[in-house]
Amino acid sequence: MYRSLRILPRLNANPPPAGGHLPSVATSAFLKPTRDVSLRTSGLRWVDSADTDSAHDAVVGRETRKMNMYQAVRDALSIALSKDDTAVVFGEDVAFGGVFRCTMGLAEEFGRERVFNTPLTEQGIAGFGIGLASMGHTAIAEIQFADYIFPAFDQIVNEAAKYRYRSGGSFNAGKLTIRCPSMAVGHGALYHSQSPEGFFMGAAGVKIVIPRSPIQAKGLLLSSIRDPNPVIFMEPKVLYRSSVEQVPIDDFEIPLSKAEVLTRGNDLTVVSWGTPVYHCETALKMLSHPPQSIAEHVPASLRSAKIELIDLRTILPWDVETVTESVKRTGRLVVVHEAGRTGGVGAEIGAEVQKQCFLKLNAPVKLVTGWDTPVPMAYEKFYVPDPIRILDAMMETLTY
Amino acid sequence: MATLARIRSAVPRRVSLQPFARTIQTAADTTQLHQDASHSEPFSVKLHEDSFRGYRTDTPSLDVEVTKENLLKWYRQMTVVRRMEQAADALYKQKLIRGFCHLAIGQEAISVGLDSATTFDDNIISSYRTHPFVILRGGTIKSLIGELLGRVCGVSKGKGGSMHVFTEAFQGGHGIVGAQVPLGAGLAFAEQYLGRKNATFAMYGDGASNQGQVFEAYNMAKLWNLPCVFVCENNKYGMGTSAERSSMNTEYYKRGDLIPGIQVNGMDIIAVHQATKWAKEWVTSDKGPLLVEFVTYRYGGHSMSDPGTTYRTREEIQKIRSTQDPIRGLQRYITDWGLAAEEDLKAIDKEAKAEVDAAVEEAKASPFPDEKELWTDIYSAGYEPPFMRGREREEGFRF
């Protein structure tokens, strides 16, 4: 770690502007700022294409609206509620709009019998949702923070995930979707910044989805709600407001278990999801155009490296094919996630890739993750993988 | 410490109220005839006055209308259930049933009584001591035994086993202690949302009643006025711990706080029938949730690996078997009231045994599930990952 960057030159007296000089979420090239690029989002599938010939032009007659991620989530929930009479949204404080405003006005629009508050009762919420889903209802539950999902762990792993299998297919909780804000904000600390996706990796029968932007959130959430399997939908909470896109206002889906290749390249594969996708983007930029302060640590020979950045999007079951196809071409893999390293999703990806791509690998699979500590109060920014750590890992892997 | 000791000795010893308070009685044969029993018309009988106790509510009427047809039907069902459980016991001991197996011998009046006062539109969801519900609610003996044996003819295609049995009218056996209780609240919410007049019975044992999620479910059910009956089958022991040693309040029907409850003699099938009917009426008339505690007894151990005699005496079991057995109780009603002769009931016993024996043989003849079943029903067909990993490359499964 930090091998080549351990001694950073002291910055000059004036502190850099908040967010630094490099690309951040606000200026990311992965966000779609205009109607035209928004409507042509790759993999997007219109759900009600009755009046347009989508095969020829998906864009004609479609509109977009500027939304951040919480507004996009709200938009998806609104579509789910208006198109499906059995859909209900419930969770702690959702009738008031939720702590992150994702359910704002839904109770007023669809009625308090369909959008309602629950007691503070995570295990109860999950169990209640499973029962409701098994009756054929579309149950959309919110766990207020992903950190609070652990009381519901038993219900999710033992009831929701196994319901179909243990009843030989006669019962299931497929219509259950559990939304929960996840990942770090920079000051959430032990109980408001965790990324618990790794804990669910062994729970075959559930799906885990993590979007990176408003368009992705809307399309993936609608897919998750309609997927006939229970889905845990983790929304990176720092992106609720910071990521803004033109989002198509119509009903559309983005397929699950399909990773998206954000930048093409043949020298190194970087896999991530959620918030760190943007840190990876920054690191890519640092590699090709290192800022003055670190330029001396970035060998010129690496600056033209072509890097393939993949947003995994669905964490379980993950898109093995897209990742292994890429690594077979590049021979190198860096996995970036916020959760701690031991037993994290990166370990699983690394194991599979080393099995499938063993003879093609030119470097060990590198993980850039949170540390094996609780998410700390004092040093959260050091816990979360930042662009420097990602850059360091990329360089180490490229020069192995 | 000295002061404390002085205070303690100054306070008079608490006098146990037990001898003065009326307690539920759990004999299986204390119901009295009101009038001559009719062979063709319904006739009325009177339950023992200590068959019910109420909490924040009156108790169901002690006068019950029954028919000869129903009594004989219940007798047949309870006999088949017990025979079937005994068959499962034997199959387990022959090592033909693997995994877990929990038998409801001694508790037959509850499953048969619950089924007798509900329709297939009502929801019943319960724990892992639920074999009887399979054959009572749409399954067959073969499909139950097949499931225990892990064969394709089983209700869950042999993929679940003893704790995971389901039918069209039974929302399942659930193996995690207490986990099915909040599911019951969800089922009841769906019925309320759809405006249907169906009751949901969420069942659990006295052991599970101390799980936190049971109280979470109570709270939601009362808060939202859900048509949910929480049914506690109190068989006196949570695994190997007696109720008194595990619960601060062993009057489980009183544990719902604002939710009214009744305690019921769970050994008398007529009392169970009456209580279930009353509970269904309660929740389907928008009165909100209800707690029902059936006081019963399990003759066997908690599961097959528990002999059931290390934490209670053989005498205790023997005493209840000989004085409070639900099937012998019903048998007495039928013979004492002149509805059928002992020989007729013996014939039913014989038929039940033959029926179970035949089903066991049929189930044994059923094959084990195909290997590919290991991969199916994990995700919904058409929405699964393209590949599921096995132990080796060749073993994986491509959908």
Side-chain angles (χ1 to χ4, degrees):
Chain A
M1 279 301 138
Y2 286 100
R3 200 171 47 196
S4 55
L5 294 169
R6 196 164 289 141
I7 305 151
L8 285 173
R10 276 197 78 79
L11 298 168
N12 53 21
N14 294 328
H21 299 287
L22 286 154
S24 63
V25 178
T27 55
S28 170
F30 302 149
L31 294 172
K32 315 242 184 276
T34 65
R35 169 182 175 275
D36 207 49
V37 291
S38 164
L39 291 173
R40 293 181 196 282
T41 298
S42 107
L44 179 151
R45 195 177 67 80
W46 301 109
V47 171
D48 51 353
S49 51
D51 51 355
T52 51
D53 191 353
S54 58
H56 294 299
D57 193 348
V59 173
V60 173
R62 302 282 181 186
E63 285 312 321
T64 61
R65 198 166 60 229
K66 188 175 169 184
M67 295 183 204
N68 61 24
M69 202 170 83
Y70 80 67
Q71 291 162 332
V73 167
R74 190 230 178 260
D75 197 41
L77 294 174
S78 165
I79 288 172
L81 283 163
S82 60
K83 286 196 162 182
D84 177 356
D85 284 343
T86 72
V88 292
V89 171
F90 53 94
E92 295 159 14
D93 293 342
V94 298
F96 309 135
V99 287
F100 291 103
R101 301 269 151 266
C102 291
T103 51
M104 276 256 277
L106 290 177
E108 290 73 18
E109 194 176 337
F110 295 98
R112 288 187 178 270
E113 69 282 4
R114 297 187 65 194
V115 180
F116 52 92
N117 289 338
T118 62
L120 309 187
T121 184
E122 287 79 15
Q123 189 173 18
I125 292 171
F128 172 83
I130 294 163
L132 191 54
S134 80
M135 293 292 280
H137 272 252
T138 299
I140 308 169
E142 178 180 299
I143 298 292
Q144 197 165 61
F145 282 86
D147 311 65
Y148 308 164
I149 209 165
F150 298 110
F153 197 65
D154 173 64
Q155 283 288 349
I156 294 167
V157 173
N158 275 325
E159 296 289 320
K162 300 181 177 72
Y163 213 167
R164 188 185 308 276
Y165 191 89
R166 66 199 190 85
S167 68
S170 52
F171 281 83
N172 66 79
K175 292 198 151 204
L176 173 69
T177 304
I178 298 176
R179 295 179 39 250
C180 50
S182 167
M183 296 194 170
V185 287
H187 50 265
L190 294 94
Y191 293 157
H192 294 85
S193 279
Q194 295 176 80
S195 304
E197 66 267 17
F199 288 100
F200 295 94
M201 284 306 274
V206 293
K207 296 188 175 183
I208 305 165
V209 178
I210 303 181
R212 68 160 191 278
S213 76
I215 295 175
Q216 298 290 318
K218 179 175 172 182
L220 289 170
L221 181 54
L222 283 166
S223 286
S224 300
I225 289 167
R226 290 161 183 164
D227 190 279
N229 298 292
V231 179
I232 304 172
F233 193 80
M234 296 183 176
E235 299 157 5
K237 60 180 96 66
V238 78
L239 301 178
Y240 274 134
R241 288 161 189 276
S242 62
S243 63
V244 180
E245 280 183 317
Q246 285 288 335
V247 179
I249 54 175
D250 290 332
D251 185 355
F252 67 90
E253 294 176 2
I254 290 174
L256 303 187
S257 286
K258 194 86 198 79
E260 183 178 5
V261 179
L262 295 175
T263 63
R264 292 265 167 204
N266 286 321
D267 297 323
L268 167 68
T269 304
V270 177
V271 173
S272 193
W273 52 90
T275 319
V277 167
Y278 299 99
H279 301 323
C280 292
E281 185 189 19
T282 309
L284 258 60
K285 193 64 142 281
M286 281 177 158
L287 183 68
S288 57
H289 301 91
Q292 195 61 48
S293 54
I294 59 168
E296 61 173 299
H297 300 288
V298 183
S301 59
L302 296 182
R303 295 185 190 179
S304 56
K306 290 279 176 284
I307 296 181
E308 185 141 309
L309 176 58
I310 297 176
D311 177 5
L312 198 59
R313 302 199 288 198
T314 300
I315 313 306
L316 182 74
W318 59 288
D319 186 353
V320 180
E321 257 159 44
T322 296
V323 174
T324 53
E325 184 279 323
S326 172
V327 177
K328 279 174 187 163
R329 270 189 290 107
T330 62
R332 299 168 202 273
L333 173 64
V334 173
V335 183
V336 184
H337 62 65
E338 279 194 13
R341 163 162 312 188
T342 304
V345 178
E348 171 62 25
I349 294 173
E352 186 65 21
V353 164
Q354 298 198 43
K355 192 183 97 185
Q356 292 209 25
C357 313
F358 185 67
L359 295 177
K360 304 275 189 184
L361 283 173
N362 297 319
V365 174
K366 182 92 185 157
L367 305 185
V368 184
T369 66
W371 311 117
D372 282 340
T373 68
V375 182
M377 173 68 190
Y379 299 111
E380 187 161 319
K381 289 203 160 146
F382 295 116
Y383 177 90
V384 171
D386 58 20
I388 297 281
R389 268 167 68 192
I390 299 168
L391 173 66
D392 187 48
M394 290 196 306
M395 293 197 306
E396 191 182 316
T397 305
L398 281 167
T399 56
Y400 182 80
Chain B
M1 288 313 285
T3 17
L4 259 183
R6 209 165 45 240
I7 292 170
R8 220 176 261 155
S9 62
V11 176
R13 246 179 213 293
R14 201 148 48 104
V15 180
S16 167
L17 291 172
Q18 209 56 27
F20 308 109
R22 301 207 71 146
T23 51
I24 197 94
Q25 65 88 35
T26 52
D29 56 358
T30 49
T31 301
Q32 300 293 320
L33 259 188
H34 250 318
Q35 59 195 91
D36 279 349
S38 163
H39 282 251
S40 50
E41 298 295 315
F43 57 96
S44 127
V45 296
K46 191 174 183 73
L47 292 166
H48 188 280
E49 58 179 340
D50 291 326
S51 295
F52 305 120
R53 287 162 77 200
Y55 168 69
R56 289 179 173 261
T57 173
D58 295 334
T59 52
S61 163
L62 296 172
D63 298 312
V64 189
E65 205 156 74
V66 292
T67 63
K68 172 189 172 182
E69 191 195 341
N70 274 347
L71 292 174
L72 284 173
K73 181 176 155 199
W74 298 343
Y75 181 82
R76 176 187 304 278
Q77 288 176 328
M78 283 162 74
T79 307
V80 169
V81 163
R82 182 165 297 182
R83 280 284 171 201
M84 182 188 75
E85 294 287 63
Q86 285 166 340
D89 182 79
L91 289 167
Y92 191 93
K93 286 171 179 156
Q94 293 164 36
K95 295 191 167 25
L96 288 168
I97 295 174
R98 309 317 302 262
F100 290 83
C101 186
H102 307 82
L103 304 179
I105 299 175
Q107 304 179 209
E108 294 89 347
I110 295 169
S111 49
V112 174
L114 260 173
D115 178 65
S116 73
T118 52
T119 72
F120 277 15
D121 287 332
D122 295 313
N123 302 303
I124 298 181
I125 186 164
S126 187
S127 66
Y128 41 79
R129 201 178 304 286
T130 50
H131 300 164
F133 286 113
V134 172
I135 58 166
L136 294 169
R137 295 183 72 81
T140 60
I141 306 172
K142 179 187 169 187
S143 68
L144 175 83
I145 298 285
E147 189 57 40
L148 305 190
L149 293 168
R151 310 297 172 102
V152 286
C153 71
V155 283
S156 302
K157 299 189 212 155
K159 300 172 72 169
S162 164
M163 300 199 290
H164 311 282
V165 289
F166 302 80
T167 71
E168 57 189 293
F170 176 54
Q171 298 265 6
H174 294 259
I176 303 295
V177 173
Q180 72 282 1
V181 182
L183 271 67
L187 304 181
F189 180 88
E191 296 291 0
Q192 184 190 57
Y193 186 96
L194 297 170
R196 296 194 300 220
K197 290 281 173 205
N198 299 327
T200 296
F201 294 83
M203 304 179 67
Y204 52 95
D206 50 296
S209 69
N210 295 323
Q211 282 277 328
Q213 56 182 331
V214 171
F215 294 89
E216 298 191 16
Y218 290 168
N219 183 50
M220 286 190 281
K222 185 64 180 172
L223 185 67
W224 300 329
N225 210 43
L226 300 180
C228 188
V229 185
F230 294 101
V231 179
C232 177
E233 276 183 271
N234 176 6
N235 63 16
K236 316 265 175 66
Y237 295 91
M239 298 199 282
T241 305
S242 68
E244 291 73 24
R245 297 174 72 148
S246 70
S247 302
M248 58 95 182
N249 178 4
T250 56
E251 295 181 308
Y252 296 99
Y253 67 112
K254 292 182 177 173
R255 294 178 78 166
D257 193 0
L258 295 181
I259 305 176
I262 54 169
Q263 191 183 40
V264 181
N265 172 3
M267 295 308 247
D268 185 340
I269 175 98
I270 299 174
V272 175
H273 171 81
Q274 177 74 344
T276 306
K277 204 171 134 197
W278 186 83
K280 178 175 170 169
E281 173 66 28
W282 177 289
V283 294
T284 53
S285 52
D286 286 335
K287 289 161 86 173
L290 180 74
L291 258 61
V292 175
E293 174 192 350
F294 290 118
V295 182
T296 181
Y297 197 81
R298 93 169 122 72
Y299 294 170
H302 164 73
S303 71
M304 295 306 297
S305 52
D306 166 24
T309 49
T310 50
Y311 46 87
R312 53 183 188 180
T313 61
R314 283 178 199 279
E315 290 71 44
E316 178 187 307
I317 306 168
Q318 203 43 50
K319 187 174 159 228
I320 291 174
R321 271 194 109 119
S322 56
T323 61
Q324 302 182 3
D325 185 79
I327 301 181
R328 296 289 76 79
L330 179 56
Q331 182 186 14
R332 258 195 81 180
Y333 296 152
I334 292 172
T335 51
D336 286 4
W337 299 344
L339 296 171
E342 202 129 330
E343 299 79 66
D344 302 328
L345 298 183
K346 285 223 170 87
I348 292 178
D349 293 350
K350 235 172 141 181
E351 274 170 42
K353 183 172 182 323
E355 196 184 341
V356 169
D357 288 348
V360 166
E361 289 313 312
E362 279 179 54
K364 276 189 194 166
S366 175
F368 287 106
D370 196 81
E371 274 178 21
K372 80 165 190 341
E373 287 292 335
L374 185 58
W375 313 106
T376 58
D377 296 321
I378 300 173
Y379 291 99
S380 176
Y383 292 84
E384 65 270 274
F387 181 76
M388 297 293 280
R389 198 159 60 182
R391 285 173 303 183
E392 292 166 30
R393 187 182 290 265
E394 303 73 46
E395 232 181 36
F397 185 77
R398 225 159 252 292
F399 289 97

